[in-house]
Amino acid sequence: MTLTLLEKTSIALSILISFTCQLSAAEPAEKDTVKVDRQDSALYLNAESDSKPRDISLGLPITTGQIFEDGMPVSYYINDLYPYKSWHGGASASSNGSMTPMETAMRYCEIGTYVDSYNKLGQDSFGGSVSYTHGSYGQNKFDINISGPIARGWQYSISTFQNFDPGSNARMLPTLRDRHQFYKAVINKKFIDGSGHMALVCQYVDYTTINDTYGPFIFVGDGSVRPYNGFSLGTDCYIPDLTSFSYMDMKTGEMKERPYKSVDKTCHFTFLLDRQLTDNIHFGFKSRFKTGTSDRGQGKLAGIETVSAESGYAYPGGSPFQGQIQKRVIMRHDALETSWMNNAEMQFKAGHHSVRAGADYHFNHGASIVSSALFAHQVCNHPQVLYRKGDLTYGFNSSGGYYDGIEHKTAIYAKDEWMVSKRINISGFVRGELLNIHGDAANNIGDETINTRYPGFNLTKGRITQFRESFLNGAAGIEFNAKIIGGLSFRAEAIATRIHPNISNYEGYYYPSTKPTDTRFIQAGLSYVNKWINVVSQIIYISQSNYNTSENFQHKLQKPVGDLPEGYIETKSIALNYGIESLGWTTDANLDLARGLELHLNFLIREPRYRDFVFKPTFSDGITEEYDFNGNNVTALHKVEFTIEPSYSFRSWKFWLTARYIGKQFINTTNTLYFNGRWETFGGINYKLSRNCRLNLNVVNILNQKGASGNIGSADLVTDTSEYHDFLMSGKFIRPFTVELGIKVDL
């Protein structure tokens, strides 16, 4: 049997690590410096993806979450250069945790649960770690860090992470599903008087992916699903035999061709200064320059329909096709970010007050050209692409977008923690932020329609417009803690934020609303702590007005439009603006049941609903339809979540389990269709072979649930669901049952 270069490398590294374990067993090693809070670690276990943290919603629609590293955002905004694609929290990190809603509001003017991580700096003596993980579907991950002294207080830390992931759904494309190349180098200087340090962090990331976790299934109608023609979600391939595709450039109107994959390349340089000026005063300064591009081009689902032999669809050889076809919209994003983010912060104590005062100056040049196209393929395992009237792609730029802009953000903030007495603590913060934006876009101004997207649209047929705005954003919050008696305490928190559109909101054909988006967050409850239990139970309310987004809606054309015939199911991206509110209750408990036996429990129940959600979109055939979703439950947000996490440690062994129940989620905005709840399960066994060497076996999706989810665009206004019983649709799935073997050696 002939081994590939990757397989030879994996075997060689495994032998080297095993040999290193034996050599290092007799030598003492420093305690692992990576600190991950147990609760936070489970919090971010992601059943849908191995390559990014889990996105967590406090009751608002879930978006790709922001990630903070060394006290600053990894990406300027989450829209174009996704933060998780230029970050890795493994061997290169000294700590990973999560930020509180109060901290995210004070530092980012948004309320959320974000990853909070810090880079591993150099140290006084040589050290580091090497880890290798092999997955049952052929994934190979290498995570390496080495650090040590240079001279005269200068130190270094060098890290790399390499991911070779072919994916669980075997496919016909000759490339890996996920190829992540991560390189980081740190040079830092410890001040002789021990008052702090300064550091320069240099990072380069090349992230190539074909993230296609889609598949067809039968929606039964009662919230359950069943396989379609034996298609196995998670292991069968729904990626068409397509290595490249043609599209019409949104800006120039030229026909071009690009590979069917996404490539993100980013580079950043971060300067860090941390100094204790006096016993009471601490000063920190951070400055990060980042440049990066994102070239994404993969097909999003756009519905399944039945076509006849006369419909114009044909196999690549030219013979007519009839039957079920999967339509997809390719959104070819060509985006860039060139940002310079700075933060200075002073911390000091005065009597019973601990004060933080800081200032931000952020600059960003962002741009995005979105060229869209449609194509179709079979509904089966390893599907063939289908040509429509001789063309592979068609309907160009009906969902196209464009902006190129500059953004300046200047902010000041302050926080005071006041120990009123031994039993009462009050914290409060305020943030003021001046946002200046200007740039080019392709918006309709007033009643214009020149930039309304339609099949074949490009900027040579439309008109480039300019925008220039100045906004005042802000946030404020207060937290009250009081010890009642023994281990019983009361806690209450209230946060308010106000933000306005940023440059990325001008990407569509509509001129975005300049009304502020106001978010209100209130939580209050009790906590109890003793030797064996730590429990917190709280009521949580969150609301947001003027939520700006865009979603895809389907419409049957009443007349021919361009090359699209009458009766064609058009998928159109519609600009939306509405409000959301959610009232919920959550309880979180950590229990030490016996020596080595711990249990973490978390329960959440909430009611996320739409407010002020009325709009009238006009489709390509000129037909205007009215939608009214006021008071309905927010789609794709579950109402109930329950997590149970037992762990048991015995001598060199540790056994752990995470079982998370996700309640039912509505498919359509009329709330007449839904998916039943599901379990997301993880588990593992860790074994300390020596003081320097640890082995682990992890299992993902122990119950092998499919976790099917998705939407039915044609059902957004449906109240009679009879036609959606035993309905063929397509959607996402979670990772299948996967076993991972890993080894970590501390050098």
Side-chain angles (χ1 to χ4, degrees):
M1 180 176 67
T2 303
L3 297 176
T4 66
L5 177 60
L6 176 57
E7 291 170 333
K8 293 177 181 177
T9 303
S10 302
I11 293 171
L13 188 58
S14 300
I15 295 172
L16 174 62
I17 293 175
S18 300
F19 181 65
T20 306
C21 279
Q22 302 302 318
L23 289 180
S24 61
E27 298 180 7
E30 290 187 349
K31 187 178 180 181
D32 186 12
T33 57
V34 177
K35 302 175 183 176
V36 182
D37 182 87
R38 181 176 176 274
Q39 182 178 337
D40 286 341
S41 176
L43 190 71
Y44 290 107
L45 284 174
N46 193 350
E48 295 184 0
S49 172
D50 173 70
S51 59
K52 69 173 184 174
R54 178 174 173 241
D55 296 324
I56 298 173
S57 169
L58 295 175
L60 302 176
I62 296 175
T63 58
T64 300
Q66 184 58 276
I67 297 174
F68 271 67
E69 185 176 61
D70 292 327
M72 285 190 298
V74 168
S75 292
Y76 194 88
Y77 281 122
I78 62 176
N79 306 51
D80 295 319
L81 272 68
Y82 296 146
Y84 73 89
K85 290 192 174 184
S86 55
W87 173 84
H88 177 65
S92 66
S94 64
S95 67
N96 292 305
S98 62
M99 300 173 69
T100 65
M102 181 171 282
E103 185 73 10
T104 64
M106 184 178 72
R107 292 302 324 281
Y108 199 62
C109 223
E110 289 188 3
I111 298 172
T113 303
Y114 296 160
V115 174
D116 187 23
S117 65
Y118 290 86
N119 278 306
K120 183 177 291 183
L121 304 181
Q123 53 189 23
D124 295 330
S125 59
F126 176 79
S129 66
V130 177
S131 65
Y132 166 70
T133 302
H134 179 75
S136 54
Y137 289 98
Q139 182 184 29
N140 292 280
K141 294 190 292 186
F142 306 86
D143 201 359
I144 302 170
N145 170 264
I146 58 172
S147 59
I150 299 175
R152 301 183 180 218
W154 290 94
Q155 301 169 339
Y156 71 90
S157 177
I158 300 174
S159 308
T160 185
F161 172 71
Q162 303 290 325
N163 187 25
F164 304 84
D165 186 4
S168 62
N169 48 339
R171 61 185 193 283
M172 303 169 73
L173 298 176
T175 55
L176 294 168
R177 188 196 72 178
D178 189 313
R179 177 68 179 101
H180 193 170
Q181 302 178 64
F182 175 92
Y183 307 92
K184 181 176 288 182
V186 181
I187 297 178
N188 60 286
K189 164 72 173 176
K190 278 189 175 181
F191 299 132
I192 297 175
D193 59 2
S195 62
H197 64 267
M198 62 180 181
L200 179 65
V201 182
C202 306
Q203 175 182 295
Y204 174 75
V205 180
D206 187 327
Y207 196 125
T208 302
T209 181
I210 302 176
N211 188 20
D212 201 296
T213 54
Y214 298 127
F217 50 85
I218 299 295
F219 178 73
V220 178
D222 59 358
S224 64
V225 302
R226 69 169 187 265
Y228 170 70
N229 282 352
F231 190 97
S232 177
L233 293 174
T235 53
D236 281 352
C237 172
Y238 206 49
I239 306 175
D241 56 338
L242 180 68
T243 56
S244 63
F245 64 90
S246 57
Y247 66 97
M248 177 185 291
D249 188 282
M250 173 69 176
K251 190 173 183 180
T252 65
E254 300 177 74
M255 293 301 299
K256 297 181 179 179
E257 190 163 313
R258 73 169 307 280
Y260 187 70
K261 61 182 179 181
S262 295
V263 181
D264 287 68
K265 296 183 179 182
T266 60
C267 181
H268 80 226
F269 302 91
T270 305
F271 174 75
L272 305 171
L273 175 63
D274 188 271
R275 188 140 199 181
Q276 192 74 33
L277 300 180
T278 69
D279 289 342
N280 273 348
I281 302 177
H282 177 271
F283 176 74
F285 176 73
K286 314 168 187 70
S287 181
R288 173 175 295 149
F289 173 79
K290 177 179 180 179
T291 181
T293 59
S294 180
D295 186 2
R296 306 196 300 275
Q298 296 174 219
K300 298 181 179 180
L301 302 181
I304 294 175
E305 63 179 86
T306 303
V307 298
S308 64
E310 292 74 33
S311 62
Y313 289 95
Y315 291 101
S319 57
F321 174 85
Q322 61 179 355
Q324 306 283 357
I325 65 168
Q326 173 70 66
K327 294 195 298 179
R328 294 202 186 208
V329 179
I330 295 181
M331 305 293 284
R332 195 269 170 165
H333 289 257
D334 183 5
L336 66 86
E337 175 187 320
T338 302
S339 61
W340 182 38
M341 293 181 280
N342 301 272
N343 170 258
E345 185 175 282
M346 190 85 72
Q347 301 179 26
F348 60 91
K349 293 184 178 181
H352 295 287
H353 296 266
S354 296
V355 179
R356 290 173 61 187
D360 293 324
Y361 171 69
H362 293 177
F363 165 86
N364 180 43
H365 172 209
S368 178
I369 303 173
V370 182
S371 305
S372 69
L374 293 166
F375 76 98
H377 61 75
Q378 294 172 297
V379 182
C380 63
N381 186 23
H382 291 300
Q384 279 191 314
V385 293
L386 301 171
Y387 286 76
R388 181 179 177 275
K389 298 181 179 180
D391 295 320
L392 176 63
T393 50
Y394 58 94
F396 301 112
N397 296 333
S398 58
S399 298
Y402 169 75
Y403 81 89
D404 188 336
I406 300 291
E407 188 164 325
H408 298 269
K409 183 189 298 182
T410 306
I412 56 174
Y413 61 89
K415 181 180 181 181
D416 180 20
E417 295 185 20
W418 178 26
M419 288 297 300
V420 181
S421 67
K422 291 182 179 180
R423 291 183 172 274
I424 298 177
N425 173 272
I426 300 176
S427 299
F429 83 91
V430 63
R431 175 185 177 92
E433 178 181 286
L434 179 63
L435 179 67
N436 293 293
I437 60 175
H438 68 271
D440 295 338
N443 308 136
N444 285 330
I445 308 299
D447 295 329
E448 291 180 345
T449 58
I450 188 172
N451 284 320
T452 300
R453 312 304 194 242
Y454 54 84
F457 177 86
N458 61 76
L459 293 186
T460 65
K461 299 179 180 180
R463 178 169 62 87
I464 291 180
T465 57
Q466 281 77 44
F467 59 89
R468 180 179 294 273
E469 302 281 359
S470 293
F471 301 115
L472 183 62
N473 296 334
I478 187 169
E479 180 182 357
F480 176 83
N481 290 276
K483 294 182 179 179
I484 301 173
I485 187 171
L488 183 64
S489 300
F490 171 77
R491 177 177 181 270
E493 181 179 13
I495 306 170
T497 65
R498 168 168 286 193
I499 60 174
H500 290 80
N502 58 64
I503 55 177
S504 65
N505 293 126
Y506 291 81
E507 184 178 86
Y509 68 87
Y510 52 92
Y511 196 90
S513 168
T514 57
K515 294 180 180 179
T517 296
D518 293 327
T519 305
R520 304 289 183 262
F521 177 79
I522 300 172
Q523 62 179 359
L526 298 173
S527 66
Y528 181 75
V529 181
N530 63 22
K531 292 182 179 180
W532 66 276
I533 188 171
N534 185 336
V535 60
V536 179
S537 186
Q538 298 185 106
I539 299 294
I540 298 178
Y541 172 80
I542 189 168
S543 68
Q544 187 174 80
S545 66
N546 201 39
Y547 179 76
N548 287 293
T549 186
S550 62
E551 295 181 14
N552 290 328
F553 289 86
Q554 292 186 352
H555 167 74
K556 181 181 290 187
L557 296 181
Q558 303 301 308
K559 62 181 181 180
V561 178
D563 61 345
L564 303 180
E566 179 182 348
Y568 179 82
I569 305 298
E570 177 188 25
T571 300
K572 193 173 185 65
S573 179
I574 306 295
L576 299 175
N577 184 277
Y578 52 81
I580 295 171
E581 67 177 357
S582 176
L583 178 64
W585 169 53
T586 180
T587 298
D588 188 276
N590 288 288
L591 297 86
D592 290 324
L593 301 177
R595 185 176 180 179
L597 179 61
E598 297 179 352
L599 178 65
H600 173 234
L601 301 171
N602 182 274
F603 175 76
L604 167 67
I605 183 170
R606 63 188 177 190
E607 193 78 13
R609 292 188 178 275
Y610 292 116
R611 297 189 316 183
D612 304 321
F613 195 178
V614 179
F615 65 104
K616 296 181 179 180
T618 300
F619 294 90
S620 297
D621 56 3
I623 300 296
T624 298
E625 296 183 357
E626 181 174 352
Y627 295 77
D628 185 346
F629 302 132
N630 278 321
N632 289 6
N633 290 278
V634 179
T635 59
L637 277 185
H638 50 277
K639 295 183 178 182
V640 177
E641 182 174 326
F642 176 73
T643 303
I644 178 170
E645 297 176 295
S647 66
Y648 179 65
S649 300
F650 175 72
R651 294 181 181 175
S652 298
W653 295 89
K654 180 176 181 179
F655 304 85
W656 64 274
L657 173 71
T658 294
R660 180 190 302 134
Y661 177 75
I662 303 295
K664 77 174 185 179
Q665 300 182 21
F666 289 102
I667 298 175
N668 58 349
T669 43
T670 54
N671 294 168
T672 54
L673 300 172
Y674 60 88
F675 287 111
N676 291 333
R678 67 169 188 263
W679 283 95
E680 298 177 352
T681 48
F682 311 82
I685 302 173
N686 303 337
Y687 177 69
K688 186 180 288 186
L689 185 64
S690 71
R691 298 182 69 180
N692 297 63
C693 184
R694 282 163 289 177
L695 307 175
N696 63 78
L697 181 151
N698 297 333
V699 181
V700 178
N701 198 356
I702 299 170
L703 301 178
N704 198 25
Q705 297 234 310
K706 300 303 181 181
S709 63
N711 60 64
I712 305 175
S714 60
D716 275 321
L717 294 175
V718 166
T719 54
D720 178 6
T721 62
S722 57
E723 63 178 299
Y724 293 97
H725 292 180
D726 297 325
F727 181 76
L728 174 61
M729 63 176 294
S730 52
K732 287 188 173 184
F733 54 83
I734 62 176
R735 298 162 63 191
F737 177 84
T738 305
V739 178
E740 298 174 342
L741 295 172
I743 183 169
K744 181 178 180 182
V745 179
D746 295 323
L747 303 176

